[in-house]
Amino acid sequence: MKLKSFIVTFGSFVFTTTFLYLIGYMFTIPPLMFHYEFTDNANGFFITTGSLVPIIIGLVISFFSERIYLFKHRQKLS
């Protein structure tokens, strides 16, 4: 039971995050794109990262998918 719950949770997280990043790159939506840049011009050290919005949305969707899975599993047992 715990393994199936983990698979549902992790799978929904990975699928949602990947799908949102893919949509961001296909349609050039900056909040859904991950952009990493590193520059060290003689110790000028410039670094930027990208959007974490797809990761946050993926965490929220994985939380709800786990709750729905557990609810349906309990309902099935009753």
Side-chain angles (χ1 to χ4, degrees):
M1 162 60 191
K2 289 186 179 187
L3 179 64
K4 288 182 182 180
S5 176
F6 174 75
I7 291 172
V8 167
T9 304
F10 187 70
S12 64
F13 171 73
V14 169
F15 176 75
T16 304
T17 305
T18 305
F19 181 72
L20 289 174
Y21 277 131
L22 181 68
I23 293 296
Y25 278 104
M26 285 177 60
F27 299 110
T28 316
I29 304 170
L32 297 180
M33 293 175 67
F34 188 79
H35 175 76
Y36 176 79
E37 186 176 317
F38 171 79
T39 305
D40 186 13
N41 292 330
N43 296 327
F45 194 78
F46 176 76
I47 188 169
T48 60
T49 60
S51 176
L52 298 177
V53 172
I55 294 174
I56 294 169
I57 293 172
L59 287 172
V60 169
I61 288 179
S62 68
F63 174 77
F64 284 118
S65 67
E66 180 185 21
R67 295 293 174 193
I68 291 170
Y69 175 77
L70 290 176
F71 176 74
K72 287 189 177 188
H73 182 73
R74 288 185 196 134
Q75 195 175 36
K76 188 186 232 184
L77 292 177
S78 296

